[in-house]
Amino acid sequence: MKARSITLGLAILVAGGSAAFAGLAWRPAIGKIASPTQFDRALVAKGAQLAAVGDCAICHAGSTGTPFAGGNPLQTPFGAVYASNITPDPDAGIGTWSLAAFRRAMHDGVDRAGGFLYPAFPYNHYTHVTGEDVDAIYAFLMTRTPAKLQAPATHLPFPFNIRLLMAGWNALFVDHSPVAADPAKNAAWNRGAYLVEGLGHCAACHSPRNALGAEDKAHPFTGGEVDGWDAPGLTAATSPAAIAWTAGALYRFLRHGLDDQHAASAGPMGAVSHDLSNVPEADVRAIAIYIASMTDPDGRGAAEPTREQQVAARVAAAQIPPPELQQTSGAAIFAGACAGCHGAGAPMMLNGRPSLALGSSVTAATPRNASQTILYGLQPGPGERGPWMPGFAGSLTDDQVAAVLTYLRWRFTDRPAWPALEDNVHRIRQDKSS
Ligand code: HEC
Ligand code: HEC
Ligand code: HEC
């Protein structure tokens, strides 16, 4: 790993070095301003909704609970990058940033003083956001409560500590062109494309990344990894979903965090869908329509009767486990710890909750998301409503979690058994505690 990261470093060094050589890298500081305070209320309200699409509050959540005060680390393969304080405090935050400085950060990944930002801040997507929308987000942030908290400084190992090298990364991987409108598609699809590719930065999690940490543009939305979770593929060929996601199902999942023909949003996606509950309904529908053109390109999933039949058939197939499965320790654990909620006829199921046979975590190629959910449960954030499940990290051993995973996979899907389950569960526990 060490040797690999040095090779990577050298590759960036060459790329960054040549950009610097060409004199492309240098950026001037933009002069400080006195904090602006007067903004049109409608502009601030629009900025609030756009900031929710952009998930600014998630990464910039204050480490002490102060919104936008930053300080939380973002784990990257190159080390932890701390999110900045983006409240209008003049010292700790961005209170002295002019609109021009803010626009440059969003579009080019360069801070007010002319320093390069790391792409843990997804400016490679925000660069597609129109100037008008960036201005609204600026108005929103500049009217938040200033927080004095200084975010910790980021110290990546050499050579990644040389921020100037990001000039090379940007030259290689950042495409500043606006999201192209497709005249063959309707207005909602085009709005969805603008939101997903720009502010929504969905591909930041749902696309694979190359050795330099850049999204693989040749295979967008074919699945990525984030914080020990799999962000599933969203293309028809790579989606693990038992039943194809339609625009209607996507809308329910994205807006309400739960779709009765799939599952609840979980892990890093839980916060994303929570943010989307504060976005205009039409925008969430547009996002759903755009994503559905990947998950269900020929619109077959929308044919309702066959769809209901598909759901019913999948659930029925999982209803009665084969007798040999009943003898396993996984079956015993499921009966004791899980069936009270997930078993056929449990009150939760009678309430219209999806069967485990419909959720992607059980059909996925890796057991990662199912393991995360079983170990740590589902807990809505403070003040949020949403599905709740207890975590079993304290009550089940790695062997027992592996046994119940084997049981889920066998009973609820027609996919091959997951290999090396105990190791997988063990690693997730270790990563969580490190
Ligand atoms: C995926 C996590 C993530 C999201 C989402 C995110 N940011 Fe950030 N942002 C960061 C990180 C990490 C940094 C620090 C980067 C660095 O140190 O180079 C940062 C830095 C910034 C900076 C530079 C601040 C400074 O003092 O240099 C601004 C401005 C900013 N973000 C604004 C926003 C806005 C506005 C949004 C929402 C539209 C947003 N961010 C969403 C992670 C994120
Ligand atoms: C911070 C990373 C992150 C971002 C940003 C993100 N996702 Fe996700 N997404 C995940 C993870 C992790 C999962 C798996 C957990 C779950 O199912 O909720 C997921 C699950 C999903 C699923 C369910 C897939 C399935 O087969 O069950 C859909 C649909 C989805 N995301 C759409 C989106 C859209 C649309 C956006 C942009 C608006 C987006 N995601 C942004 C991480 C992310
Ligand atoms: C108190 C009720 C409760 C208990 C007990 C419980 N769960 Fe859950 N579980 C939930 C809820 C709620 C969800 C979110 C989905 C929903 O709302 O239908 C969920 C989701 C899941 C998911 C993700 C769904 C998917 O398909 O993506 C898995 C996997 C899961 N549970 C497995 C288990 C296992 C295994 C056990 C026992 C060790 C268990 N659960 C115990 C309530 C419960």
Side-chain angles (χ1 to χ4, degrees), residues 263-264 337-338 341-342 348 353-354 356 359 361 374 378 387-389 392:
C338 323
C341 291
H342 289 291
M348 182 175 109
R353 287 304 177 75
L356 287 176
S361 73
I374 296 170
L378 296 172
W388 179 85
M389 168 172 150
F392 292 90

Side-chain angles (χ1 to χ4, degrees), residues 59-414:
C59 291
H60 289 278
S63 47
T64 56
T66 316
F68 304 107
N72 283 321
L74 259 102
Q75 301 301 339
T76 76
F78 313 101
V81 180
Y82 288 88
S84 322
N85 179 334
I86 55 169
T87 71
D89 185 82
D91 304 311
I94 59 169
T96 60
W97 289 39
S98 64
L99 182 53
F102 183 74
R103 274 199 188 186
R104 183 173 70 174
M106 292 287 281
H107 286 159
D108 300 339
V110 173
D111 69 12
R112 190 198 60 75
F116 283 87
L117 294 164
Y118 290 118
F121 165 45
Y123 60 84
N124 59 319
H125 290 280
Y126 297 157
T127 191
H128 302 309
V129 180
T130 62
E132 211 181 299
D133 282 354
V134 171
D135 297 359
I137 297 173
Y138 179 76
F140 169 69
L141 287 176
M142 286 300 177
T143 48
R144 296 310 91 202
T145 311
K148 283 255 165 278
L149 281 165
Q150 197 73 51
T154 294
H155 296 291
L156 297 188
F158 177 82
F160 307 107
N161 59 338
I162 307 172
R163 286 183 176 260
L164 195 66
L165 299 184
M166 288 302 120
W169 195 93
N170 293 346
L172 289 173
F173 302 121
V174 183
D175 172 4
H176 295 284
S177 53
V179 177
D182 183 344
K185 301 286 197 337
N186 65 19
W189 186 94
N190 278 295
R191 175 75 181 158
Y194 169 71
L195 293 170
V196 165
E197 305 293 347
L199 267 181
H201 69 282
C202 314
C205 294
H206 286 277
S207 287
R209 288 180 184 264
N210 68 20
L212 291 177
E215 287 161 35
D216 178 355
K217 294 259 178 61
H219 304 95
F221 297 104
T222 57
E225 274 173 42
V226 53
D227 289 344
W229 288 74
D230 285 326
L234 298 177
T235 64
T238 58
S239 167
I243 293 167
W245 284 96
T246 59
L250 285 162
Y251 172 78
R252 287 188 291 273
F253 178 82
L254 294 169
R255 178 111 179 144
H256 303 296
L258 176 68
D259 173 54
D260 59 4
Q261 298 179 342
H262 294 87
S265 64
M269 189 65 201
V272 173
S273 63
H274 176 73
D275 263 7
L276 289 174
S277 68
N278 297 319
V279 167
E281 185 187 319
D283 277 350
V284 184
R285 289 209 188 274
I287 291 173
I289 287 168
Y290 179 67
I291 299 286
S293 70
M294 302 178 206
T295 54
D296 183 28
D298 43 16
R300 265 186 316 186
E304 284 302 336
T306 45
R307 188 173 177 77
E308 295 303 340
Q309 284 161 12
Q310 283 176 48
V311 171
R314 280 213 63 87
V315 174
Q319 218 59 272
I320 304 151
E324 66 271 30
L325 190 53
Q326 294 295 33
Q327 311 305 320
T328 63
S329 61
I333 296 166
F334 186 84
C338 323
C341 291
H342 289 291
M348 182 175 109
M349 304 310 291
L350 298 177
N351 250 334
R353 287 304 177 75
S355 159
L356 287 176
L358 301 173
S360 290
S361 73
V362 188
T363 46
T366 83
R368 207 179 264 151
N369 293 359
S371 309
Q372 290 276 12
T373 305
I374 296 170
L375 285 171
Y376 304 110
L378 296 172
Q379 279 94 27
E384 291 170 17
R385 288 173 41 202
W388 179 85
M389 168 172 150
F392 292 90
S395 50
L396 297 178
T397 63
D398 292 349
D399 293 11
Q400 289 171 322
V401 175
V404 80
L405 281 166
T406 303
Y407 175 83
L408 295 185
R409 184 75 163 177
W410 189 359
R411 169 158 174 202
F412 292 103
T413 81
D414 51 8

